[in-house]
């Protein structure tokens, strides 16, 4: 079992940058594939980026080239570097973990962190 603690949200102007962090407590971090998701008011939850246990990454088309998912296994920490932010990136962002990358892709991971709000103003 793993507990996920998210930090790093905030408000920024369009074109700015933010970095989100997600610290995992409990089980062996390297046993899990990890991902970032977001949900804007009135919208469906969207998978933003996933990194699997081998370090392979994938991104939603809407964030490719602007966001980077990474992890530091020694610190049990997942990151999301968000550059060139746009107003449409405004959402509640959460990290998630699962031993199955497929479940992450399907948006049904076993473990979720709390959300952190990201607000991008124009």
């Amino acid at each position: 079992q793993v507990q996920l603690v998210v930090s790093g949200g905030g408000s920024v102007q369009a074109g700015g940058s933010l970095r989100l962090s997600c610290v995992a407590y409990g089980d062996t971090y390297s046993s899990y594939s990890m991902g970032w998701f977001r949900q804007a008011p009135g919208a469906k939850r969207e998978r933003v980026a996933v990194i699997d246990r081998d370090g392979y990454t994938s991104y939603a088309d809407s964030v490719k080239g602007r966001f980077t998912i990474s992890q530091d296994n020694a610190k049990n920490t997942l990151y999301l570097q968000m550059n060139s932010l746009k107003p449409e990136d405004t959402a509640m962002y959460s990290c998630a973990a699962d031993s199955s990358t497929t479940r992450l892709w399907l948006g049904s991971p076993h473990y979720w962190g709390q959300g952190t709000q990201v607000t991008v103003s124009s």
Side-chain angles (χ1 to χ4, degrees):
Q1 197 167 7
V2 64
Q3 292 79 42
L4 304 173
V5 179
V6 179
S7 63
S11 298
V12 66
Q13 288 194 323
S17 298
L18 284 172
R19 188 176 80 158
L20 306 182
S21 299
C22 172
V23 180
Y25 298 94
D27 210 346
T28 306
Y29 178 84
S30 58
S31 300
Y32 293 93
S33 293
M34 305 290 294
W36 288 99
F37 293 78
R38 68 185 181 186
Q39 188 167 21
K44 288 184 178 180
R45 186 168 59 206
E46 176 186 21
R47 184 186 65 246
V48 176
V50 171
I51 184 166
D52 71 13
R53 285 168 290 182
D54 295 321
Y56 292 107
T57 59
S58 60
Y59 298 90
D61 287 343
S62 58
V63 306
K64 278 180 183 176
R66 300 187 298 121
F67 290 13
T68 303
I69 188 171
S70 62
Q71 60 190 359
D72 185 334
N73 287 349
K75 296 182 178 180
N76 289 358
T77 303
L78 176 74
Y79 301 101
L80 184 68
Q81 178 66 43
M82 304 184 291
N83 298 329
S84 302
L85 282 160
K86 303 175 180 180
E88 51 263 44
D89 295 317
T90 295
M92 186 72 72
Y93 285 71
S94 301
C95 68
D98 203 293
S99 57
S100 165
T101 307
T102 299
R103 278 198 289 268
L104 272 171
W105 269 96
L106 294 175
S108 301
H110 279 143
Y111 304 108
W112 288 95
Q114 88 285 7
T116 187
Q117 179 67 37
V118 171
T119 302
V120 184
S121 58
S122 57

